[in-house]
Amino acid sequence: MLKGSPAILSPELLKVLTEMGHGDEIVLADGNFPAESIGKDAIVVRADGHSVPELLDAVLTLMPLDQYTEKPATLMEVVPGDDCKPTIWDKYRRLLENHGENSKNIEMMERFAFYERAKKAYAIVATGETAIYANILLKKGVIQ
C-alpha cells in the first residue's frame, strides 16, 4: 500500500504507469475487448472484477493526459447499424472534467482502427467491465 495512491491500482498497474513516458498510450478495455490477442506486443494487465470508470478515475489521479495532443483520449465508435447508445461515455466525460481534463478533447475511432492503434499501446488493462463500447485509450502527458 502507498499513501495517496488509489487502492484499486495493483502493483503491476502502478509499475506500468510509472514506466510509461510522455506520449505512451494505455487502453482501459472492457470485458469483451480482445486484450490478449491485440496486446501481443504490449503489456497486458489483468484487472478483472473492476470497472473501467473506477480504473479511469484512479489512473487520472496519477497520470496527466498529453496537453500537446489535440485529443489525448480516444473511444471506440459504435459500429454502424449497432443499436447501442453507450451511456458510460457520459461517466468518462465527467471523470475527465473532475481531473482537470477537457472532456471535449475525445477522439472517436472506428472499431478496427481502434484495434490497430491499441496494438501499439504501451499497455492494455483488461477489466471486468460489462458495458459495451467501454474501451478508452489514453495518451500520457507530462507533469509540470
Side-chain angles (χ1 to χ4, degrees):
M1 299 277 300
L2 296 173
K3 186 177 179 179
S5 175
I8 190 174
L9 299 177
S10 68
E12 184 181 9
L13 185 49
L14 284 169
K15 180 180 182 288
V16 164
L17 293 173
T18 301
E19 290 173 342
M20 289 174 63
H22 180 213
D24 281 340
E25 296 181 329
I26 188 167
V27 177
L28 303 181
D30 64 36
N32 290 303
F33 190 84
E36 299 295 337
S37 61
I38 293 288
K40 288 180 183 171
D41 295 324
I43 297 166
V44 176
V45 177
R46 301 299 308 188
D48 301 292
H50 296 296
S51 71
V52 173
E54 64 184 337
L55 283 166
L56 178 61
D57 188 31
V59 167
L60 291 174
T61 298
L62 301 177
M63 187 184 91
L65 298 186
D66 191 353
Q67 65 273 28
Y68 302 114
T69 300
E70 185 179 338
K71 297 192 178 192
T74 304
L75 298 172
M76 181 186 292
E77 288 178 347
V78 174
V79 173
D82 197 347
D83 186 26
C84 175
K85 292 184 172 64
T87 57
I88 199 164
W89 293 351
D90 294 331
K91 291 179 186 177
Y92 295 172
R93 287 183 180 91
R94 282 192 301 276
L95 287 168
L96 287 165
E97 291 291 335
N98 290 346
H99 287 281
E101 303 291 346
N102 187 340
S103 65
K104 292 180 175 69
N105 293 343
I106 297 175
E107 179 178 3
M108 300 305 296
M109 187 171 281
E110 185 272 334
R111 176 181 168 210
F112 292 105
F114 189 97
Y115 288 160
E116 287 303 310
R117 186 157 168 199
K119 287 179 183 178
K120 299 173 189 153
Y122 186 85
I124 298 172
V125 181
T127 74
E129 180 60 60
T130 58
I132 60 174
Y133 296 104
N135 308 298
I136 185 167
L137 183 144
L138 306 170
K139 183 180 285 286
K140 187 175 183 180
V142 297
I143 296 174
Q144 298 180 347

